[in-house]
């Protein structure tokens, strides 16, 4: 029985790792941008009139998309933090 978390299925190197510093940088950049986009689009949608263009529905859809991307960036930061702790613990 293979006790590893993920079994190798392709030709990737055994030592292949995700670029955690780059992922952290991208998440740190895009988390506040998506959060600001969520707030601004939600405010714009709330203040739009029934006949205005773009309408309320597209603005709310974009606000939801930005909100989901904000959550994804935040969760990625949590995963990166956990992996860095695991790396430091395994070095001891």
């Amino acid at each position: 029985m293979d006790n590893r978390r993920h079994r190798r299925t392709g030709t990737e190197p055994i030592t292949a790792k995700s670029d955690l510093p780059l992922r952290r940088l991208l998440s740190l950049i895009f988390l506040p941008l998506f959060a600001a986009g969520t707030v601004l689009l939600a405010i714009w949608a709330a203040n739009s009139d029934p006949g205005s263009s773009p309408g309320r529905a597209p603005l709310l859809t974009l606000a939801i998309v930005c909100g989901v991307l904000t959550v994804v960036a935040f969760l990625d930061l949590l995963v990166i933090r956990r992996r860095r702790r695991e790396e430091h613990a395994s070095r001891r």
Side-chain angles (χ1 to χ4, degrees):
M1 180 83 178
D2 191 1
N3 290 333
R4 289 184 288 184
R5 185 171 177 192
H6 300 287
R7 204 167 20 170
R8 294 185 63 213
T9 59
T11 59
E12 72 275 3
I14 293 173
T15 58
K17 293 184 179 180
S18 176
D19 190 1
L20 294 181
L22 179 61
R23 280 178 55 189
R24 182 175 181 270
L25 176 66
L26 290 173
S27 291
L28 287 173
I29 290 171
F30 286 106
L31 177 71
L33 289 177
F34 287 135
T38 301
V39 171
L40 293 174
L41 287 166
I43 291 170
W44 187 5
N47 292 331
S48 66
D49 295 326
S52 63
S53 180
R56 184 171 284 162
L59 292 172
L60 285 177
T61 302
L62 289 173
I64 291 169
V65 169
C66 283
V68 169
L69 291 172
T70 301
V71 171
V72 168
F74 178 74
L75 292 176
D76 195 36
L77 283 173
L78 292 179
V79 168
I80 292 166
R81 189 165 119 195
R82 181 183 54 93
R83 287 189 182 171
R84 290 180 122 188
R85 282 185 187 166
E86 288 174 356
E87 282 181 7
H88 290 306
S90 68
R91 291 180 188 169
R92 293 181 186 186

